[in-house]
Structures are given as structure tokens and as C-alpha cells.
Amino acid sequence: MTPRHFLTDDDLTPAEQARVLALAAELKAAPTSVQPLQGRTVAVLFDKSSTRTRVSFEVGITELGGHPMIIDAGSSHLGRGEPISDTARILDRHVAAVVWRTGAHSRVTELAEYSAVPVVNALTDDYHPCQILADLQTIIEHKGTPAGLTIAYLGDGANNMANSYLLGCATAGMHVRIGAPEGYQPAPEVVARAERIAAETGGSVLITDDPVAAVTGADVVTTDTWVSMGQDAEGAIREEVFPPYRVTRELVAAAAEDAIVMHCLPAYRGKEIDADVLDGPRSVIWDEAENRRHAQKALLCFVLGAA
């Protein structure tokens, strides 16, 4: 039987996404109530440094009754040039699933092509779908059903978070606005995919270079670092381009009166978001960070056929 992988946000249908999010809420209320991994191991590979991804997967897999096998890919043969296809064939003889945080998205898709067990994308340069599941869980907790709500993302619209917000939030039936400067807006093909999804779910997509237009009336305001891993050489240029998109109290004031603020972290206070917003009363960022664990547990249950 072909394994069920989760590589991009739209690998889940709207109904499947809702099912995963409902289970995430149940698992948050009763963390060890479901243990499909009893006596089993999940390989969690890291090509990139991590705090939230490592902690949430390691604790979550343990709560599901399993053993998280954390692998620093750089110190394994995978990091020394062993073909990804060979790594897939080795791992799937030992583990129930493989979770990978890596760079080029083609790496995780190649692993999935050869793997006999589910592969989960824990972050690539193009997508961060596990984060969006946690974000949607957080939105549900604070705002109710996500369908019909408006989410405004500000900053680098060409990065993995923007891509995943477009696809994942459109799948949830949300109105997705990306506020980003020209040259840093989402790829047309990603926008087109999100628009096709939104046409089926009742959501919508708006790409604009006007941060105020993006935020006005929004129910959720979110952002990400301006300089992602591997972009350090562009740091000075980016810090000249992005200040108008900083999430400030003044900008958030244009959103809905009861709007919430999110950030996938790590955050750089005073750059993409002001400290008094990140630590302020509208912020649900710490709930969002915790929900990585619950959403990922629900996802693992789903891909393993236990949900």
C-alpha cells in the first residue's frame, strides 16, 4: 500500500485537514489518550538547526507511545553524499515514519518517492506545513472555525511560511492576504494553487504591496523573520526593504478590534515585529508554539492510519 505522505499543505483535503485539527484539540486535552506508536520508532532528521520542531516532535512522539530517533543528517552518511533513495530504503526497514527538516523541497519529495513509510515535511525552503496546522489550531482556539476569517501575513511573501499560509489557510476556507514588497511576493504558481483551493472552500487570496490594505479588518495578523536561514548575505538589503511591513501597534490597530497576532518564531523584536505587540495582549504566539506538538501528533496519527 502506498504510504500517506505530508509534504505540502494541500496534501490534505479540507475534510482531512479539519479531521486532523479536531484530533489535535482532543490530544491537547488528553495528551496520552492515543498511543499508536507503542513500541515503534519515528526517525526525525535535521539538516537545519531547530528548537520548536525538535522539541515538539520529540515530546509528541513520546506521548504517542513511540521512540523519537533524532538524527543530525550532517553527521550521518546522508550528509556525506549517500543517495537519498538509499537512505529511504534503510530507514523504512526500521521506523514507522520519517520526519525531515531540510533545505531544498526536492530532497523531501525524493525521500517520499522511495520510502515505504510516511514522510512528513518538518520544513523545507518552500513550505512549512506543520507550522500552519499549529497556527490553524490556535486560530480555532481563539476565534472559532477558521472558515470565513481573514488572515494577513506581512513581510517576505516569497518564503516558505507565505507559501504555506496561502495553501493551508485557503484549504481551511480563509481569506488569505499577503502583504509584501515587490520582488518578495509569492510565486505565481503557488498563488494559482491557492486560488484554486479557495474557489472550492469559499476563501480568497489577495497579494498586495500595501501593508495597511493587507491588515485592514483582518482577524489574524502574522509575520515571520525577514532573513531566513541561508539568506544572511541578503540581510542588509532586506532590512532596508521590509520596515514598512513591521507589525506595530499602529498597524495592528487597522485590523479587526478582536484580531490576534501570531509569529512562527524565532522572532526578532524591533525588526519584523515590535516587542510590545509580540508580548502584548493580542499575541497568541506562545499558544501557537505549544500547538506544534498537538497538531503534529494528530498529523502522525493521520498518516499512520490511526485517526
Side-chain angles (χ1 to χ4, degrees):
M1 186 171 66
T2 303
R4 185 63 190 265
H5 305 301
F6 183 61
L7 308 182
T8 63
D9 305 80
D10 50 348
D11 282 342
L12 295 179
T13 66
E16 289 169 342
Q17 185 194 74
R19 182 173 157 195
V20 168
L21 293 170
L23 179 57
E26 293 175 18
L27 292 175
K28 186 170 184 175
T32 58
S33 59
V34 177
Q35 295 197 313
L37 288 171
Q38 198 70 247
R40 306 170 80 186
T41 297
V42 174
V44 189
L45 283 65
F46 290 95
D47 287 350
K48 294 188 173 187
S49 59
S50 170
T51 298
R52 280 148 299 280
T53 297
R54 175 165 181 167
V55 170
S56 58
F57 269 112
E58 191 163 357
V59 175
I61 291 164
T62 302
E63 289 182 343
L64 290 175
H67 169 66
M69 182 170 62
I70 307 298
I71 301 173
D72 176 1
S75 63
S76 72
H77 282 97
L78 179 61
R80 297 171 59 188
E82 184 171 42
I84 291 172
S85 57
D86 290 0
T87 298
R89 293 181 177 112
I90 294 298
L91 289 175
D92 67 24
R93 299 295 182 100
H94 300 281
V95 303
V98 181
V99 176
W100 197 6
R101 180 181 175 93
T102 188
H105 190 71
S106 59
R107 290 169 64 77
V108 77
T109 58
E110 183 176 355
L111 186 75
E113 180 182 353
Y114 290 95
S115 178
V117 299
V119 173
V120 171
N121 173 9
L123 175 143
T124 64
D125 291 343
D126 291 342
Y127 305 99
H128 198 355
C130 287
Q131 179 67 57
I132 299 306
L133 289 176
D135 288 8
L136 287 169
Q137 182 179 359
T138 307
I139 291 167
I140 291 168
E141 289 175 350
H142 290 272
K143 306 292 291 181
T145 178
L149 297 179
T150 296
I151 183 168
Y153 169 88
L154 299 176
D156 184 0
N159 72 4
N160 51 9
M161 283 303 301
N163 289 343
S164 280
Y165 275 123
L166 282 166
L167 299 177
C169 292
T171 298
M174 298 185 74
H175 302 292
V176 188
R177 301 177 186 168
I178 305 293
E182 290 187 15
Y184 298 91
Q185 295 184 348
E189 57 267 27
V190 177
V191 175
R193 280 164 63 192
E195 288 175 335
R196 286 195 295 271
I197 295 168
E200 297 178 359
T201 62
S204 66
V205 173
L206 171 69
I207 311 299
T208 178
D209 62 1
D210 184 343
V212 176
V215 167
T216 298
D219 302 289
V220 184
V221 178
T222 187
T223 188
D224 186 18
T225 177
W226 294 339
V227 184
S228 298
M229 284 181 282
Q231 297 176 334
D232 300 293
E234 306 172 32
I237 295 173
R238 286 171 171 266
E239 290 188 13
E240 289 180 4
V241 171
F242 287 115
Y245 302 86
R246 175 181 295 134
V247 179
T248 63
R249 280 192 300 173
E250 292 76 19
L251 194 55
V252 173
E257 187 176 348
D258 59 349
I260 57 175
V261 174
M262 300 198 303
H263 191 306
C264 62
L265 301 177
Y268 298 89
R269 291 166 172 83
K271 291 191 177 180
E272 74 272 6
I273 188 168
D274 282 352
D276 59 359
V277 177
L278 188 146
D279 300 313
R282 291 180 183 248
S283 171
V284 296
I285 290 168
W286 311 115
D287 293 341
E288 178 188 6
E290 178 191 341
N291 285 339
R292 285 289 299 277
R293 180 167 104 251
H294 312 303
Q296 288 163 184
K297 286 170 64 179
L299 175 69
L300 284 171
C301 288
F302 176 80
V303 298
L304 291 167

